[in-house]
Amino acid sequence: MAKSKERKKFRKRLLHKYRLVILNEDTFEERVSFKLTRLNVFIVVGFSIIILIALTTFLIAYTPLREYIPGYSSVRLKKQATELIFETDSLKRQLDINEQYYASIRKVLTGDVDRVNFNKDSLLLVEPGENGGLSFKISKEDSILRERVANEDRYNLFEPASTKVNFSLFPPVKGNITEKYNLDRKHYAVDVVVPKNEPIKAVADATVIFSEWTAETGNVLILDHGNNLISVYKHCASRNKDQGDLVKAGEVIAIAGSTGEYTTGPHLHFELWNNGYPVDPTNYIAFE
């Protein structure tokens, strides 16, 4: 019974009508009046709060005004950050490439390279019994063919079956070879005796990537011919090209001489490097 009375009293309070009057302060003239109940006030205030929250959410989510709220970053800053991430990744990749490139140049200058034996005609070794009883004995016709292909390919640095690269090397100088390419002695070059002041020529189109004086080998030039091929010219009397210069095949790049601590007379110390490893220049160039 008491609970029922309390409910009725609460409902009466909610539905009890009040009048909101706006008066002129000087004349007490009634300007505006409203009939209200507590329930109406609660409903109006509740809807106002909901609309305010929805409007604020819309402004924050879909307008640039959110950039002025602490903790929110602007679209421009996010775009710049994304671009910086891509640029940083590209720079890191380029730095790795440059480090590998400089490591190859360091090997050329110091001669510090692991011994690698190259054999173009090497075959994969197989376990006994895996050949299915086939005979791999070299016939006379096969030997003749191999010799002819070897002679045709003597001055071609790349495989003859490849159609992607057509590359030939120009002799840097003409003369007698006094010391040949020797892996055992770590002599990764050929020493060619030439008259003093003999012109030294580029073996192919290239970019000069090193042109400096060293105490051990005197005036040194290193040319990058692309296709992972590098040529090196040491003990020059003078250098006609600087780093960054572009040269053509057969163009004079230096003058032969006898500079540096390791020289024994006027000659050219010539090296050829492919994919970061030294190769025998006489396999591709005729010096005599």
Side-chain angles (χ1 to χ4, degrees):
M1 197 71 180
K3 290 183 178 180
S4 178
K5 289 181 178 181
E6 289 291 334
R7 290 175 183 173
K8 289 180 180 180
K9 189 183 291 186
F10 179 74
R11 188 179 304 162
K12 185 177 180 180
R13 289 176 182 174
L14 287 178
L15 299 177
H16 187 75
K17 294 183 179 180
Y18 298 88
R19 181 180 292 272
L20 176 63
V21 180
I22 299 177
L23 301 175
N24 188 325
E25 185 177 357
D26 295 331
T27 62
F28 295 100
E29 179 184 359
E30 183 178 329
R31 296 299 184 116
V32 181
S33 64
F34 298 97
K35 289 183 179 180
L36 301 173
T37 64
R38 292 181 178 179
L39 180 61
N40 291 339
V41 173
F42 292 152
I43 292 174
V44 171
V45 171
F47 272 109
S48 299
I49 293 173
I50 293 173
I51 292 173
L52 181 61
I53 293 174
L55 182 62
T56 304
T57 303
F58 176 81
L59 291 175
I60 293 175
Y62 299 103
T63 66
L65 292 176
R66 67 177 180 274
E67 298 177 6
Y68 298 95
I69 299 176
Y72 284 90
S73 60
S74 66
V75 176
R76 181 175 57 84
L77 290 177
K78 289 183 178 179
K79 183 179 179 181
Q80 290 179 351
T82 303
E83 292 176 352
L84 286 175
I85 290 174
F86 284 113
E87 290 179 1
T88 303
D89 183 67
S90 299
L91 289 174
K92 185 178 181 301
R93 189 179 301 111
Q94 187 62 39
L95 181 61
D96 293 338
I97 294 173
N98 289 340
E99 287 179 353
Q100 295 177 3
Y101 182 74
Y102 292 142
S104 299
I105 300 300
R106 195 179 303 112
K107 287 181 180 180
V108 172
L109 293 175
T110 61
D112 184 17
V113 62
D114 296 333
R115 177 169 178 174
V116 179
N117 293 324
F118 296 95
N119 185 1
K120 289 184 177 181
D121 297 326
S122 62
L123 298 175
L124 295 175
L125 298 178
V126 296
E127 293 294 331
E130 290 185 356
N131 54 17
L134 297 177
S135 175
F136 292 97
K137 184 178 179 180
I138 300 175
S139 64
K140 181 179 179 181
E141 291 79 4
D142 182 65
S143 299
I144 295 174
L145 178 61
R146 284 174 177 268
E147 183 177 357
R148 187 176 68 182
V149 171
N151 291 332
E152 291 177 353
D153 194 41
R154 179 177 177 80
Y155 305 115
N156 184 8
L157 188 60
F158 301 94
E159 295 296 331
S162 175
T163 59
K164 295 182 179 179
V165 180
N166 184 13
F167 205 86
S168 59
L169 299 180
F170 190 90
V173 292
K174 287 287 188 177
N176 295 324
I177 297 176
T178 57
E179 188 169 358
K180 297 181 178 180
Y181 175 89
N182 193 319
L183 281 176
D184 295 331
R185 297 176 54 191
K186 292 188 176 181
H187 187 258
Y188 306 124
V190 290
D191 292 339
V192 185
V193 176
V194 293
K196 191 175 181 180
N197 298 328
E198 178 79 6
I200 299 175
K201 303 170 184 178
V203 297
D205 296 350
T207 302
V208 179
I209 59 175
F210 186 87
S211 178
E212 296 291 343
W213 166 274
T214 64
E216 293 82 5
T217 55
N219 287 306
V220 179
L221 284 95
I222 302 178
L223 274 57
D224 184 0
H225 304 282
N227 300 306
N228 296 317
L229 178 65
I230 292 176
S231 60
V232 184
Y233 313 78
K234 296 181 179 180
H235 303 301
C236 303
S238 62
R239 294 172 278 110
N240 296 358
K241 299 295 179 180
D242 296 322
Q243 183 174 342
D245 290 347
L246 301 177
V247 298
K248 293 291 185 180
E251 183 177 352
V252 176
I253 58 174
I255 301 299
S258 180
T259 58
E261 297 176 1
Y262 297 161
T263 185
T264 56
H267 74 286
L268 172 64
H269 177 101
F270 178 77
E271 302 177 14
L272 203 59
W273 294 67
N274 188 25
N275 288 316
Y277 291 98
V279 295
D280 188 353
T282 58
N283 290 336
Y284 316 106
I285 301 174
F287 292 92
E288 299 178 358

